[in-house]
Amino acid sequence: LLHPALDDLKFQIRSIADDLLRNHCKVDIEVQTSKPYPIYTASSDQRTEYLKQLGPGLANVSHCIAVYSCKGGVGKSTLAVNLAYELARIGGRVGLLDVDIYGPSLPILVKPDDATVRQSAIGPGMVKPIEHHGVKLLSLGYVSPDSGVPGSGDRGGAAVMRGPMAGRVVTQLLKGTEWGDLDVLVLDLPPGTGDVQLAICQDLRLTGAIAVTTPSKLALADARKGMEMFTSLGVPTLAVVENMSYFVCDGGGKHFPFGKAALEEESKNVFRLPISTITNESNDNGIPLALARPGDAAEELSAIECLAVAVSRELLIAQHGLHSAESSREGSSPTHRVFFPETNSDDEFDIASTHVTLSEDGFRARFYSDKGAMQITIPPAVLRFTHPKTGEKN
């Protein structure tokens, strides 16, 4: 289960149960995962149409997030791979699709024991992703060179294709794969703001995107163009990663050879990764850093873990229709919130995310906040004699 504070929730529930039961019995907390489904908040008719558009391969994928940069060589693919494996490590059901069809990197960064892409039984032309240590993988570099697709195979030649054909190849990789049950599908996009990026945004409703850059002014300028493009397409940037930001010398001090960029102006979630020979070695060995977890990579692993937790928090907020602090800035749409004085809590709950169901004892309403959730039951008699606008009892 992908949740940013699952262990804390278990601890709190166990503590409350122990207090209520006064330690007369042992309390064990078991978490059961539900069937994932694409997050879509429109009407039921539009949702049904969207599911048809997705096809069977993506029918049980909750979130799709893009990892992008507008400048090549900034470590985007390395970041996407390590993020995917870290999200899986903290409990998520995760997939990773290498969408960079012009220069697929995944077969170099991850070398499964069995890298064969096999046919799926759920439909004609469908394939199964490669499963490797809890992450489902697919890349054009894993596809057989006999497929006829330019650039396919780990030793395939240059992928020479025009924009429309590139878009069709991306759609086939995305929708022609039986992804199964996933909390999140990570998309490693190629650099730039071209046909592939547009094809992804047209085929999917991305929950968000993660920008990767380096401290140089040139890379930052291009990263901002990417943020503007995704914002114009209705896709929020969940986090910004400044890769190769600094190095740690033998004496223990941090040095920023390219200076510090003011990325906090771009996002509330900013993470900086060092220039790292350990990361480079893990790339060359085909074992992601988040999977190998060497003892001398504490600095790198800490940043990757913080990024994964932040992303899982943003996905949880989006799943319940809430608004993160990023979307609540000046100029964004206003949100309507409510609080309950009788609970002696200052938690504010977003009205837009309220979930109401009919039960035997009345209407059951669930409210969600940035900190958690609350459920109340309203008996029919109370509702009947309450003014719908003012809340006054008749």
Side-chain angles (χ1 to χ4, degrees), residues 115-117 138-154 156:
T116 305
V117 177
L138 192 64
S139 168
L140 188 60
Y142 290 136
V143 176
S144 170
D146 298 330
S147 64
V149 180
S152 59
D154 58 347

Side-chain angles (χ1 to χ4, degrees), residues 203-364:
D203 287 341
L204 293 177
R205 294 185 180 274
L206 295 174
T207 304
I210 297 163
V212 183
T213 183
T214 59
S216 72
K217 289 184 178 181
L218 188 59
L220 282 169
D222 287 342
R224 290 189 175 100
K225 292 176 184 177
M227 295 179 205
E228 291 173 2
M229 182 199 74
F230 278 105
T231 300
S232 68
L233 295 171
V235 179
T237 294
L238 305 179
V240 178
V241 177
E242 185 180 84
N243 199 20
M244 297 177 275
S245 176
Y246 62 91
F247 69 90
V248 180
C249 68
D250 294 337
K254 281 187 179 181
H255 301 272
F256 296 81
F258 308 110
K260 285 186 179 181
L263 293 175
E264 283 73 14
E265 298 176 1
E266 311 296 339
S267 173
K268 67 185 179 68
N269 294 318
V270 175
F271 303 91
R272 292 179 169 86
L273 286 166
I275 301 170
S276 171
T277 57
I278 305 171
T279 302
N280 186 62
E281 289 170 1
S282 73
N283 289 346
D284 292 344
N285 295 331
I287 305 175
L289 199 67
L291 186 59
R293 310 195 73 78
D296 52 351
E299 188 109 11
E300 295 88 339
L301 292 173
S302 175
I304 294 170
E305 181 181 5
C306 290
L307 170 64
V309 170
V311 169
S312 66
R313 182 180 63 247
E314 295 294 334
L315 296 183
L316 181 67
I317 290 172
Q319 185 163 348
H320 293 295
L322 300 175
H323 302 275
S324 67
E326 183 72 13
S327 61
S328 299
R329 291 181 173 181
E330 184 178 354
S332 61
S333 300
T335 60
H336 300 281
R337 295 180 176 269
V338 65
F339 69 97
F340 299 90
E342 62 272 17
T343 62
N344 295 320
S345 171
D346 58 355
D347 286 1
E348 293 186 350
F349 299 89
D350 187 4
I351 290 293
S353 67
T354 304
H355 183 253
V356 180
T357 56
L358 183 62
S359 62
E360 294 182 356
D361 49 354
F363 289 93
R364 188 170 295 161

Side-chain angles (χ1 to χ4, degrees), residues 50 53 60 82 90 111 193 247 331:
Y50 179 56
Q53 177 188 333
N60 296 113
N82 282 290
I90 64 176
K111 298 176 181 176
T193 56
F247 69 90

